[in-house]
Amino acid sequence: MKTILVTGANGEIGHGLITRLAEQGNVRILALDIHELDATLKPKVHRAVVGDILDTALLESLSATYNFDTIYHLAALLSTKAERQPVLAHRVNVDGTLNLLEMAVGQSRVQGREIKFLYPSSIAVYGLPDLQTKERAGRVKEHEWLTPRTMYGINKLYCEQLGIYYAQYYRQLDADATRGHIDFRALRFPGLISAVTVPTGGTSDYAPEMLHAAAQGKPYACFVREDTRIPFMAMPDAIEALLQLEVAPRPKLTRFVYNVTAFNPSAREIFELVRQAFPKAQVTFAPDLKRQKIVDSWPADIDDSAARADWGWKPSYDFKRAFAEYLVPGVLQCYRA
Ligand code: AKB
């Protein structure tokens, strides 16, 4: 039986991940979140802990009680929220990640083996200077355009590096026995769209917000232009990507950080599929110029060929299938009276 720590357990990825891990069985899930865990998730976990990843005493006590095999460190403030509270974002996104890496390395020393550390990064690590460059850049590779323009993007890019440092160079001057070993693996996710949860605090949120508003018969003012294009993925594929990366044999991995993506519609194209499913959808486009700038700095598409080649990544849902077979049936079920 594997023991798995999930931070940010109550968030969108946490919901999907805990559900899938519990279905797989043979796992003991420890769910950590600043908020009380959703009642629907509680039966799926061994223990739900309400607490802060900045509380090192709490992390020490969890570490003293459990031997973790894998840590899924999902807790973060997303891009819009982080822009509104940059200092808090830096604390949670960077200091919080450092605390978890320290905990993992401590666990590795005590257990005498490697601890897997799964980290969701983001397309927010990229920063394109203007729309012409964005158009020219096409499918951005992992090493390109690493000039983020948001606190969140900067936090994510730095924490990728921090994870690589802990995996490769941590305390490189020490005797080997004191070092501890972390098997750090990160995914750069595009915008994620779930049928069962609505994100909070992100800037790619217009896609899920539009869909969930239409399903509830509520009007929606989309905060980006109709021609805005960034990559997206349906939530089940994001969860599969995390699970597949976790079990991929290390020798096959040529990198620590991988792009993954599924489709990259414009906001207008998203609206068209929403309207097909919900003909009465009341969507207007009312760009918020400041949030628009953030999305414009993210690539129109990313190149995930390394993930495909190294560990067989392939999304199950393309744009049409995501709507027809997952999102639309899912939201209908969600809001059925
Ligand atoms: C956000 O909008 O901040 C996130 C992301 C793209 O990582 N969804």
Side-chain angles (χ1 to χ4, degrees):
M1 160 127 11
K2 281 204 293 191
T3 303
I4 296 182
L5 174 65
V6 180
T7 73
N10 228 0
E12 281 210 292
I13 302 180
H15 271 77
L17 181 66
I18 287 173
T19 305
R20 278 287 283 110
L21 285 171
E23 277 165 15
Q24 281 184 350
N26 218 21
V27 287
R28 194 156 66 143
I29 306 168
L30 206 89
L32 174 61
D33 200 285
I34 192 111
H35 302 294
E36 172 103 20
L37 194 67
D38 253 20
T40 54
L41 293 179
K42 279 191 181 157
K44 298 176 181 168
V45 303
H46 167 73
R47 188 174 155 203
V49 179
V50 179
D52 194 336
I53 55 170
L54 296 176
D55 181 351
T56 47
L58 170 67
L59 296 185
E60 272 162 31
S61 111
L62 293 178
S63 195
T65 315
Y66 298 96
N67 280 343
F68 297 115
D69 295 271
T70 303
I71 296 170
Y72 282 93
H73 174 39
L74 313 179
L77 255 65
L78 298 185
S79 53
T80 289
K81 198 162 180 192
E83 228 39 54
R84 297 201 165 118
Q85 291 174 283
V87 174
L88 177 66
H90 194 279
R91 273 191 204 123
V92 174
N93 295 350
V94 175
D95 298 349
T97 302
L98 184 69
N99 291 346
L100 264 301
L101 285 165
E102 272 296 313
M103 187 185 115
V105 94
Q107 284 258 315
S108 163
R109 266 189 230 116
V110 171
Q111 295 187 46
R113 63 185 175 124
E114 252 180 10
I115 307 296
K116 279 193 182 155
F117 196 101
L118 274 290
Y119 183 67
S121 185
S122 162
I123 52 163
V125 298
Y126 300 112
L128 293 128
D130 51 57
L131 282 174
Q132 289 80 356
T133 313
K134 172 168 168 156
E135 216 166 279
R136 269 203 312 271
R139 307 185 72 212
V140 169
K141 289 192 196 311
E142 279 91 347
H143 65 277
E144 295 175 323
W145 296 107
L146 295 174
T147 43
R149 297 187 155 203
T150 59
M151 178 51 100
Y152 171 71
I154 290 165
N155 296 164
K156 286 288 180 189
L157 185 57
Y158 173 70
C159 287
E160 289 177 0
Q161 292 299 312
L162 207 51
I164 295 171
Y165 166 76
Y166 269 78
Q168 277 200 309
Y169 309 116
Y170 178 70
R171 299 190 75 119
Q172 53 196 297
L173 301 181
D174 285 13
D176 211 37
T178 63
R179 282 174 52 188
H181 295 280
I182 295 184
D183 183 352
F184 179 80
R185 302 170 178 214
L187 286 173
R188 287 190 189 146
F189 278 131
L192 301 179
I193 318 179
S194 166
V196 291
T197 51
V198 190
T200 46
T203 319
S204 62
D205 293 3
Y206 59 90
E209 282 175 359
M210 194 188 293
L211 171 71
H212 283 259
Q216 294 172 85
K218 293 183 181 165
Y220 182 67
C222 180
F223 59 82
V224 295
R225 286 186 322 268
E226 296 181 36
D227 66 342
T228 305
R229 193 179 291 280
I230 58 166
F232 282 99
M233 185 185 288
M235 189 58 81
D237 274 334
I239 306 305
E240 283 314 310
L242 278 169
L243 294 172
Q244 280 173 24
L245 183 59
E246 188 204 336
V247 298
R250 184 29 93 185
K252 292 217 168 221
L253 305 184
T254 57
R255 344 177 27 92
F256 288 99
V257 180
Y258 287 91
N259 279 348
V260 280
T261 187
F263 43 86
N264 69 329
S266 67
R268 175 87 209 170
E269 288 160 354
I270 295 170
F271 166 56
E272 274 154 16
L273 282 203
V274 167
R275 190 171 50 182
Q276 236 175 57
F278 302 98
K280 292 194 183 137
Q282 302 161 62
V283 176
T284 49
F285 286 86
D288 168 336
L289 296 185
K290 291 181 177 153
R291 290 180 94 188
Q292 179 74 58
K293 273 201 168 153
I294 292 179
V295 188
D296 285 346
S297 77
W298 293 347
D301 203 358
I302 52 173
D303 181 331
D304 60 1
S305 52
R308 288 173 187 258
D310 289 3
W311 46 276
W313 158 248
K314 190 171 184 289
S316 297
Y317 293 102
D318 62 19
F319 184 38
K320 289 212 166 119
R321 189 158 173 243
F323 270 78
E325 295 179 27
Y326 165 65
L327 292 169
V328 173
V331 289
L332 282 171
Q333 199 178 340
C334 211
Y335 299 111
R336 194 170 285 154

